[in-house]
Amino acid sequence: MRRLLQQEKLIAPGGLRLRETDSDVTVGPGCCCGLEDWRDWLGLLEGDVPWLGHDPSPAIEVAEPVVRLWPDGGSEEGTASGPCLEIPVGDLARILHTVHDELQGFLSLAGQWAARRVPSLATDLVTRLGEDLAIGAPLPGGRAPHLL
């Protein structure tokens, strides 16, 4: 744990994975995309497209009132085809708040685990994970309502 905390930055390879259960379309992050970059998805609220890695190369298109995501085909502009996942732009903030809630839950569990296993490093671990994975800071725009 000490060696981990000595790293310049903690990263978590992978990223957000989205799945549409009705169509069974799943869009996962490509390689070189890390969970530490999850907040890049906030750019979609402004029409900015986050980079989701390559191999596969997920593709994103912002086409009001939806955002379309393809599992692969984002390496060259205009090459995405086949089944895609569509997210209403209005749902993005709620989805990202849910992601934030889940990451905060992870951070809490990591703190509980560290308190039992490495109590002298627990606070440092939680602090670093919160900072490096961009978990601690609130999301801009306040709290989105939860849907039941």
Side-chain angles (χ1 to χ4, degrees), residues 73-91:
S75 58
E76 296 177 27
E77 193 165 325
T79 61
S81 63
C84 70
L85 184 149
E86 291 189 353
I87 301 172
V89 172
D91 288 351

Side-chain angles (χ1 to χ4, degrees), residues 16 38-39 41-45 91-101 139 143:
L16 300 185
W38 74 273
R39 283 181 182 257
W41 284 81
L42 289 166
L44 282 169
L45 298 172
D91 288 351
L92 286 172
R94 180 188 53 80
I95 291 167
L96 291 171
H97 278 278
T98 299
V99 168
H100 190 229
D101 289 346
L139 292 181
R143 182 75 191 123

Side-chain angles (χ1 to χ4, degrees), residues 102-116 126:
E102 294 292 325
L103 288 170
Q104 287 178 321
F106 161 75
L107 194 59
S108 175
L109 290 172
Q112 291 171 35
W113 174 86
R116 287 190 309 273
V126 170

